[in-house]
Amino acid sequence: MKIIISFLATAFLAAMTLGQEESASPPESTTPTTEEKASATIEETPAPKPAEATAPVAEKKAEPATSPTAPNREATTTTATKPAAPTTAAAPSGKKMSVEAALKDNENRWEASYGAHNISVAQSLVANDFVGVYWDGKVMSKSGLISEIKKDKDTYKSAKNEKLAVHAYGPNVAVVVGTAQEKGTGKDGKSFDRAFRFTDTWMLRNGQWQCVASQVMKLKG
């Protein structure tokens, strides 16, 4: 019996010892976890280092972004100063002078063609739908005007315009008012000195000025 009791006591003590070891083991396992968590948190704390690295990158990006703006502003100022030149103001006057010069040249060539009996000038300058009132009251078309030039047998010493005035009515229409002086000898041998006042209406068609209407009155001769 004593042997059995001592055996049981020994087994009980062994069981108690194992129970105490098992109960003591969990705290040892928990402490490493806390240390791992602590170490994990310590490893996560260096996260601000990338932020410090990004800060200079942002500064580097900001520097080139601001530097190009200076040449852009200079470019805008240069382009803004270009229109300040008085070229646009001079353009309308130049355009007006070119129209005036072209129409005066047309009128002078047209009048000179009468003295030379040259119908080609009237054919090129007079529109096909031309209508004119001659000094004696006749209403003429283009063909009638050219016919009068062909029938003219006078000999001219001079045929020129005076006091031409160009009045523009928009970019494509203009009126020329002037006087024409003609001197020479008629087919009857008598000298003549006559003057006319005319009003010619011109239109710009396909890049060419054409006379579409005209009215002439005789002042003398």
Side-chain angles (χ1 to χ4, degrees):
M1 288 296 290
K2 289 181 181 181
I3 294 170
I4 294 170
I5 291 170
S6 62
F7 178 77
L8 291 175
T10 302
F12 178 76
L13 289 174
M16 290 295 292
T17 303
L18 291 174
Q20 288 178 358
E21 289 177 358
E22 289 177 357
S23 61
S25 60
E28 293 177 357
S29 61
T30 55
T31 52
T33 55
T34 55
E35 289 177 359
E36 290 177 357
K37 288 182 180 180
S39 63
T41 54
I42 291 171
E43 291 178 356
E44 291 177 356
T45 51
K49 290 183 180 179
E52 293 177 358
T54 55
V57 174
E59 290 178 359
K60 290 181 181 179
K61 290 182 180 178
E63 289 176 0
T66 54
S67 59
T69 55
N72 289 334
R73 289 179 183 175
E74 291 177 359
T76 53
T77 53
T78 53
T79 53
T81 54
K82 288 182 181 178
T87 54
T88 54
S93 61
K95 186 177 181 181
K96 183 178 178 182
M97 290 300 294
S98 64
V99 171
E100 182 179 359
L103 293 182
K104 284 184 177 181
D105 181 67
N106 287 351
E107 292 285 0
N108 290 330
R109 289 192 296 117
W110 191 3
E111 178 58 30
S113 70
Y114 287 106
H117 302 282
N118 183 5
I119 63 173
S120 63
V121 177
Q123 285 176 339
S124 63
L125 296 182
V126 176
N128 292 330
D129 55 351
F130 169 84
V131 58
V133 179
Y134 205 48
W135 63 270
D136 58 357
K138 292 180 182 178
V139 178
M140 290 188 183
S141 62
K142 179 178 181 178
S143 60
L145 176 66
I146 294 174
S147 178
E148 288 292 327
I149 298 174
K150 290 180 178 180
K151 290 189 298 183
D152 186 12
K153 302 301 180 180
D154 295 339
T155 301
Y156 292 82
K157 291 181 180 180
S158 64
K160 60 182 180 179
N161 292 321
E162 296 179 353
K163 298 178 181 179
L164 293 176
V166 179
H167 305 273
Y169 299 93
N172 301 325
V173 179
V175 173
V176 180
V177 178
T179 59
Q181 299 286 338
E182 298 175 355
K183 295 180 182 181
T185 304
K187 60 183 178 180
D188 56 359
K190 294 181 180 180
S191 62
F192 62 83
D193 183 2
R194 54 195 180 217
F196 303 91
R197 186 179 297 279
F198 60 87
T199 302
D200 293 340
T201 302
W202 296 81
M203 291 188 68
L204 184 63
R205 293 175 172 177
N206 298 323
Q208 180 181 0
W209 286 99
Q210 291 186 328
C211 185
V212 295
S214 179
Q215 184 165 1
V216 182
M217 64 178 294
K218 183 179 279 190
L219 298 178
K220 68 176 183 178

